[in-house]
Amino acid sequence: MAAVASKSDQGPAKIKVEANELAERILALCAEIPQGVNDKVLQASMPEVDPKSRALAINHLLTNGKIDLLQSERGLLYKARTSTSQVGTIKGDAEEKLVYKIIEEAQNKGTWIRDIRIKSNLVQTQLNKALKSLKSKKLIKDVKCVNSTRKIVYMLYHLEPDSSVTGGAWYSDQDFESEFVEILNQQCYRYLYQKLEKSRECTSGPLMAKNISQASSKEVLQYISELGISKIQLRPEDIEAILDTLIFDGKVEKTLALAEGEETRLYRAVESLIPVTGLMRMPCGGCPVIKECSDVGSVNPIKCSYMKEWLS
Ligand code: SF4
């Protein structure tokens, strides 16, 4: 004998389907009219629906973050949410959702607790509670800022912090990896110097020899990647920063070339043909921070390691 569902089994299931269908209809209407729909339009589009069911469906859409309620000259408007915000999908109270939304907006640059407090208008205890709960759910994380040991910013858990927060490839837990930078510096120069030596064997003219001695930052990056000396994924910009230090040291020169319609930076090792005089070796001539250098402030000739080296 087939099982017969009791009245209480059928009731709630039927109401749920109807509520979902109604929510879908309201959502479709909001998508059709992107400026937003008011209660009158909703009523006219679905006259058979009683106001209570309509209100339930609207509440369902609002709490799930599918629509927004806006105040306009035409009264209250329901508007389909177009942003990719995930705040509607997270579980938590209103404070947690508000804090999550503020942190989400900050993207991978993160936001400071003081800014969250100002934007959310929450008192410190409420804010701490919301942050603690979001952290325990692995929805957000705190990241130490490289430019201040005490500054912590919050960002979504899955995001990779921006290099302005971490200091980029040259920092690990706020410490500048000077040894790693020095090794990269040596290896980049070694690669370009090998190319320079190879170019000397070229018998097809000076232009061809110059072409052989040059390499783009992507080629240098490939060489560094193949050496396996970096545990992190370096980008061409990171290698360009290293190559720039070699340019400032007078070991490398850079030229711009057009390749497939795109401007490419080409680097080559250089060797001076004549010995340079002491005055010509003075570091200030090619110094990138010469405008900031003075007898007051943190950039000054007394602290300058290039100046010390030149004078020694
Ligand atoms: S003293 Fe040092 S920091 Fe100042 S301009 Fe010269 S090289 Fe640059």
Side-chain angles (χ1 to χ4, degrees):
M1 192 178 142
V4 178
S6 70
K7 201 174 179 183
S8 61
D9 287 341
Q10 288 172 347
K14 191 162 180 276
I15 288 166
K16 199 177 173 197
V17 170
E18 280 177 358
N20 281 346
E21 274 176 14
L22 194 52
E24 288 300 321
R25 278 175 69 188
I26 295 171
L27 204 56
L29 197 64
C30 289
E32 231 173 81
I33 309 167
Q35 299 83 5
V37 293
N38 59 16
D39 260 326
K40 271 189 193 164
V41 175
L42 285 179
Q43 214 174 333
S45 325
M46 41 193 82
E48 76 288 1
V49 177
D50 70 290
K52 202 178 163 196
S53 305
R54 202 170 59 236
L56 275 174
I58 287 170
N59 273 344
H60 174 74
L61 289 171
L62 283 169
T63 49
N64 283 297
K66 300 263 175 71
I67 58 169
D68 285 319
L69 182 59
L70 306 170
Q71 181 74 45
S72 81
E73 289 164 1
R74 291 187 286 147
L76 290 174
L77 286 180
Y78 305 105
K79 220 173 159 186
R81 191 173 278 188
T82 49
S83 81
T84 53
S85 172
Q86 297 296 310
V87 71
T89 62
I90 70 157
K91 286 191 179 118
D93 56 26
E95 280 92 18
E96 282 175 43
K97 289 191 178 187
L98 178 62
V99 172
Y100 182 90
K101 194 165 187 290
I102 294 166
I103 294 173
E104 187 183 45
E105 279 165 5
Q107 298 177 0
N108 66 343
K109 289 211 165 80
T111 181
W112 197 21
I113 192 161
R114 197 167 149 259
D115 293 337
I116 305 174
R117 199 175 58 228
I118 293 166
K119 284 184 188 168
S120 65
N121 231 349
L122 293 174
V123 293
Q124 193 66 47
T125 45
Q126 279 178 309
L127 179 55
N128 287 345
K129 193 172 154 240
L131 287 171
K132 199 175 164 194
S133 170
L134 289 169
K135 273 206 290 183
S136 68
K137 290 176 193 167
K138 290 200 184 321
L139 290 170
I140 62 161
K141 62 181 171 188
D142 51 27
V143 181
K144 273 188 198 167
C145 250
V146 72
N147 50 13
S148 166
T149 44
R150 278 180 296 165
K151 192 169 172 182
I152 286 173
V153 291
Y154 292 90
M155 66 183 68
L156 294 192
Y157 192 80
H158 65 277
L159 292 179
E160 189 64 35
D162 187 74
S163 57
S164 61
V165 177
T166 60
W170 320 130
Y171 284 82
S172 167
D173 289 335
Q174 290 189 309
D175 294 325
F176 181 66
E177 297 262 19
S178 56
E179 214 172 300
F180 175 50
V181 171
E182 186 53 38
I183 291 170
L184 278 180
N185 204 298
Q186 286 167 7
Q187 292 304 328
C188 288
Y189 181 66
R190 189 167 159 234
Y191 175 66
L192 292 176
Y193 193 77
Q194 280 170 355
K195 283 189 80 78
L196 181 70
E197 287 198 315
K198 204 173 169 200
S199 73
R200 288 186 182 133
E201 294 161 15
C202 174
T203 52
S204 311
L207 202 60
M208 182 57 83
K210 191 180 176 194
N211 285 347
I212 292 171
S213 67
Q214 294 182 134
S216 68
S217 53
K218 281 186 188 155
E219 287 170 301
V220 184
L221 174 60
Q222 197 184 338
Y223 171 76
I224 296 292
S225 306
E226 282 166 7
L227 286 180
I229 51 175
S230 175
K231 283 187 224 134
I232 53 160
Q233 183 69 46
L234 294 171
R235 302 161 305 160
E237 304 92 90
D238 299 325
I239 292 296
E240 279 165 21
I242 294 286
L243 291 167
D244 280 344
T245 64
L246 289 169
I247 294 171
F248 300 140
D249 288 345
K251 292 175 168 177
V252 165
E253 67 175 18
K254 176 169 72 177
T255 47
L256 294 176
L258 267 181
E260 293 166 9
E262 252 185 61
E263 200 179 69
T264 315
R265 291 170 193 156
L266 296 173
Y267 300 85
R268 71 189 287 261
V270 283
E271 271 184 335
S272 184
L273 295 173
I274 47 161
V276 282
T277 63
L279 198 61
M280 279 171 73
R281 272 191 265 128
M282 189 183 180
C284 307
C287 177
V289 289
I290 192 166
K291 284 188 183 154
E292 281 89 52
C293 187
S294 69
D295 51 359
V296 288
S298 55
V299 183
N300 62 62
I302 295 167
K303 286 188 186 167
C304 174
S305 56
Y306 290 102
M307 182 59 88
K308 272 186 202 147
E309 199 182 305
W310 179 64
L311 289 171
S312 61

